[in-house]
Amino acid sequence: MSDVIVIGGGAAGWAAALSAVQGGLEVVLLEKLAESGGSSAMSGGCLAFAGTELQTDQGVADSPDRLYADLREVGQEVNDPALVRAYCDAQLASCDWLKAAGVQFSPVIETAAGQSVPRVHTVDPADMVRALKAAAEASGRVVYRPNTAAQALEQDASGRVRGVRLTDGERLEARRGVIIASGGFAKNPDMLTRYAPHYAPAVFVAGAGSQGDGLRMAQALGADLRDMDYVKGTFGKHPTDETNDHSLQAVYKGAIAVNQDGQRFVDESISYKLLGDAVMAQPWHCAYQILDQAIFDTGDDRVRILDFGRRLEEGLFYVGDTLAELAAQVEIDADVLQATVDRYNGYVDAGHDAEFGRTHLVHRHGALRKIETAPFYAYPSTAVVFGTYCGLRIDPQARVLRADGSWLEGLYAAGEATGGFHGAAYMTGSALGKAVVFGRLAGQAVAAS
Ligand SMILES: Cc1cc2nc3c(=O)[nH]c(=O)nc-3n(C[C@H](O)[C@H](O)[C@H](O)COP(=O)(O)OP(=O)(O)OC[C@H]3O[C@@H](n4cnc5c(N)ncnc54)[C@H](O)[C@@H]3O)c2cc1C
């Protein structure tokens, strides 16, 4: 028998396992696939941290309080203030803790959704998960079981969660508790149909294990759910390209988004999750990011969402020497597209976007750019659901709660399996960040119990 069973081997699961062994506990970690890593390992590797040395070195003034204000604003204050505060209070120490585990960070990225200052800290995500796993296993107190899926949670006579039943019927017991870190449900069509029918035409990219198992298991014991109405896709996914898992955010460098009728439909600087909602409401659930050569030249091949050059090489952009030529290729009326661009350029000159109120490139960051230097580019864009960002209701100690706010004793959860932290939308880096920070908090909470 172990002290704690961790269900799932993504960032949240391995962070929980590492902090639990650092608290002196014996851990069993279950991973239903042959390899651990989950969505975490295939992610963009962006983590939202504030007040770090890396930011200071790059001259960025940030703080946990500023991060708190941004997260609450992006989440439209639907998110749970106690969870947001817990994240902000724990993230700096979690960043140092990752470094101590051998995780390496690249310089902070400037362009990201929902951030009033640059705070995206990037890692190689698969390396990060491997580093957490290696550090946890080096303790000699982790039993790692790949190809092992949890099927149900087991309670003792008092109702306390004491263990897990596996799909093959084997029963495992834990002295202190069970941590659900099984990720979201972006690969479960039934749950998507139920909770996010408006995203049915979107593209879905996530770890194969993202099937909502943890939500199902905890709900069976009476766990409450949060934020289920706010599943969102990320704007900027090429609708037909299978080779590119990541979205492109030319809008955050100054592009506009126009629909098949040649019309803008949104303030392009808002969170790319809200842009995802907006594009789903357009004809064919698709739009074009329209930009010129000057904007194209501000791309950055070190950042996947800004790597325009690679997309051009892959033939994913339409290119025209004039806007009329571009319009013909994307089957938009040339006069309409020209009028849309002219109107927008007029707003940039006037300093006021009379239609959608766009004031900056992204969030409150960067001056708007006109679209005027040939050649012109169009990038077809729909929404991609990378994760579900909603789920089990937890408290700041990562304890899973019932609808009446009481704790389902012995049960903890972290990462994408949980709801309440993001609220109505999403800041870049906050999902991987949440997996690490709340995974670590969950391990600490079990060790302290
Ligand atoms: C392409 C892509 C890019 C992304 N980019 C970013 C980004 O840059 N920044 C950001 O903040 N977020 C990003 N996200 C979202 C973010 O990566 C995830 O929300 C986060 O990593 C989830 O971590 P997790 O540990 O909770 O879940 P996961 O990493 O998905 O791990 C869950 C694990 O549990 C396993 N599992 C599931 N059910 C069971 C079971 N019954 N028994 C045992 N094991 C089980 C799964 O197989 C999986 O290995 C991205 C997601 C994707 C897909």
Side-chain angles (χ1 to χ4, degrees), residues 7-13 30-33 35-48 148-151 181-184 205-211 213-214 216-217 245-246 385-387 389 414-417 426-433 435:
I7 302 175
L30 309 174
E31 168 53 54
K32 79 171 174 182
L33 303 181
E35 298 273 341
S36 68
S39 288
S40 304
M42 62 196 284
S43 76
C46 301
L47 297 123
T148 307
Q151 172 68 20
S182 52
V205 176
S210 302
Q211 289 167 348
D213 293 3
R216 175 184 52 74
M217 288 187 270
D245 287 344
H246 290 268
V385 178
F386 286 137
Y389 313 115
E416 203 180 304
Y426 166 91
M427 173 191 289
T428 302
S430 61
L432 198 56

Side-chain angles (χ1 to χ4, degrees), residues 219-299:
Q219 271 187 290
L221 305 191
D224 195 15
L225 302 178
R226 291 269 330 233
D227 295 347
M228 303 307 285
D229 292 340
Y230 302 109
V231 174
K232 300 251 183 280
T234 299
F235 175 70
K237 177 79 177 82
H238 195 293
T240 58
D241 174 43
E242 299 290 332
T243 63
N244 156 34
D245 287 344
H246 290 268
S247 65
L248 190 77
Q249 304 301 334
V251 284
Y252 289 169
K253 287 292 188 177
I256 56 172
V258 303
N259 62 20
Q260 194 64 54
D261 298 329
Q263 303 293 345
R264 287 177 70 217
F265 51 92
V266 70
D267 167 359
E268 294 89 346
S269 73
I270 61 175
S271 164
Y272 46 50
K273 299 284 176 191
L274 296 176
L275 293 176
D277 277 356
V279 78
M280 280 294 107
Q282 300 310 304
W284 315 108
H285 318 292
C286 197
Y288 296 96
Q289 298 184 63
I290 305 285
L291 55 153
D292 68 357
Q293 185 62 46
I295 294 171
F296 191 96
D297 290 341
T298 65

